[in-house]
Amino acid sequence: DTWRYAFEEALEEVQGKFAQKFKEEIEANSDHEVQLFPFGTLGESADTMEQAQAGILQFVDQSPGFTGALIPEAQVFFVPYLLPQDEETLQEFFRTSTAINEMFPELYAEQGLELLTMFPEGEVCMSTQEPVHSPADLNEVKFRVMTNPLLVESYQAFGATPTPLPWGEVYGALQTGIIQGQENPGFFLESTKMYEVTDVITCIGHNNFTTAVMANKQFYDGLPEEDQLLIQSATDAAFDYILDYQAGLQEESLQNIREAKPEMQVNILSEEERKPFMDTAVQVEEAFIDMTGERGKAILDQMKEDLEQASQATSG
Ligand code: 6CS
């Protein structure tokens, strides 16, 4: 039989690479076929999530940035400076986190989804028309964020005017001046040619783009154990593959952008310049707890514990 799998990016972008590896593993080890639906073939992220919940799709990759209404707790990934900037610690965290591997699956299950994995896609940087060296520089900047209330809080705290939009509208909105900024990991800034419609890239180390892959739960629960194990091992293989695939990708992408547009400014802010952005974390954390209550707080606390353990495991 054929399993349908949609994701939010193109085939040769990170989510597409993950999906291709997953497909390869499933097809090499079973008679099942996986049909891939890249961004744009079935609508925006909100559409593919509905299709996955309805069972029209068996698999979907949807980033927490679009899961705000469905699973508010997943917004924890938008507390600035929560995730470590050190690559090794970050990867250890995603591999071992109790919050990710035990708590989030329960929340996704309530929405009819079997959470298979979450993985990082790279450091998020801003791309804007004018240089950004402090929150004051974001004043009056209409800044596109994914459709997620906590990201709105976060960019408000950064001094901007956050404007939630689905991905498909971003390039056009920058071109026509409806917005003047957006954020994304380096590879995506390059592949989607954000440098054509913005002039400055600013990295402040505030986040790493997290995404999630899930199956329709009814479909998954109805599978024989052997197929569930097949899906688990294909997920594990794709997870390892995608972390390896990303080694050096951020720097390489920023370099390619500089080559494609030599006048592009790429600014990596200093610790001192980052400070006022870092100071907003407390306020965004509070907003997160206001939005999600006890359950959100439990996830946040667990994540902090997991991060601490990941950091200890990788520093010694
Ligand atoms: O900014 C966005 O909406 C998109 N960014 C990435 C890296 N992946 C998919 C998502 O739709």
Side-chain angles (χ1 to χ4, degrees), residues 8-9 15 45 63 66 121 144 146 166-167 182-185 187-188 209:
E8 305 168 317
E9 295 173 7
Q15 289 183 18
S45 293
S63 304
F66 296 109
E121 292 195 49
R144 178 269 176 170
M146 289 182 281
W167 171 249
Q182 63 87 38
E183 60 162 24
N184 256 306
F187 82 89
F188 206 66
F209 191 99

Side-chain angles (χ1 to χ4, degrees), residues 18-254:
F18 181 99
Q20 287 190 63
K21 181 70 180 172
F22 179 85
K23 172 185 164 75
E24 191 187 302
E25 290 289 319
I26 296 284
E27 293 180 354
N29 294 297
S30 73
D31 291 333
H32 302 295
E33 253 181 66
V34 179
Q35 194 180 2
L36 299 180
F37 294 90
F39 178 77
T41 54
L42 296 174
E44 292 281 359
S45 293
D47 303 309
T48 49
M49 183 55 121
E50 276 178 24
Q51 292 155 16
Q53 285 183 293
I56 300 167
L57 288 170
Q58 283 71 44
F59 299 97
V60 69
D61 185 324
Q62 189 185 54
S63 304
F66 296 109
T67 320
L70 209 59
I71 304 159
E73 294 83 354
Q75 299 182 105
V76 72
F77 291 101
F78 301 100
V79 171
Y81 299 97
L82 181 63
L83 294 182
Q85 290 163 53
D86 174 65
E87 200 64 21
E88 213 191 329
T89 311
L90 184 76
Q91 297 197 357
E92 174 73 9
F93 165 72
F94 275 90
R95 278 185 204 285
T96 58
S97 165
T98 302
I100 290 182
N101 297 302
E102 289 171 31
M103 294 170 88
F104 273 120
E106 288 177 21
L107 302 177
Y108 279 77
E110 287 174 12
Q111 302 302 327
L113 299 160
E114 177 76 24
L115 179 64
L116 298 176
T117 189
M118 287 184 173
F119 62 88
E121 292 195 49
E123 186 192 333
V124 172
C125 298
M126 305 182 212
S127 77
T128 52
Q129 309 300 1
E130 303 289 336
V132 178
H133 289 283
S134 72
D137 293 330
L138 286 170
N139 188 26
E140 311 266 293
V141 173
K142 289 202 202 73
F143 199 101
R144 178 269 176 170
V145 291
M146 289 182 281
T147 51
N148 173 314
L150 200 72
L151 254 173
V152 169
E153 289 286 336
S154 164
Y155 267 88
Q156 234 152 23
F158 281 179
T161 305
T163 310
L165 283 178
W167 171 249
E169 292 175 34
V170 177
Y171 190 99
L174 283 165
Q175 209 170 23
T176 54
I178 292 171
I179 52 168
Q180 295 88 39
Q182 63 87 38
E183 60 162 24
N184 256 306
F187 82 89
F188 206 66
L189 299 178
E190 183 198 353
S191 59
T192 63
K193 298 197 170 10
M194 282 294 107
Y195 55 85
E196 292 178 346
V197 285
T198 48
D199 294 331
V200 185
I201 290 175
T202 308
C203 304
I204 62 171
H206 68 301
N207 208 0
N208 199 293
F209 191 99
T210 297
T211 199
V213 179
M214 57 218 96
N216 172 286
K217 191 161 169 46
Q218 210 179 345
F219 153 76
Y220 185 86
D221 288 345
L223 289 173
E225 198 188 346
E226 123 190 75
D227 281 343
Q228 292 183 350
L229 292 173
L230 171 75
I231 290 170
Q232 292 301 336
S233 74
T235 303
D236 291 347
F239 179 89
D240 287 341
Y241 164 81
I242 208 61
L243 295 188
D244 286 351
Y245 171 79
Q246 290 180 70
L249 186 62
Q250 180 81 357
E251 295 70 28
E252 208 178 291
S253 306
L254 294 179

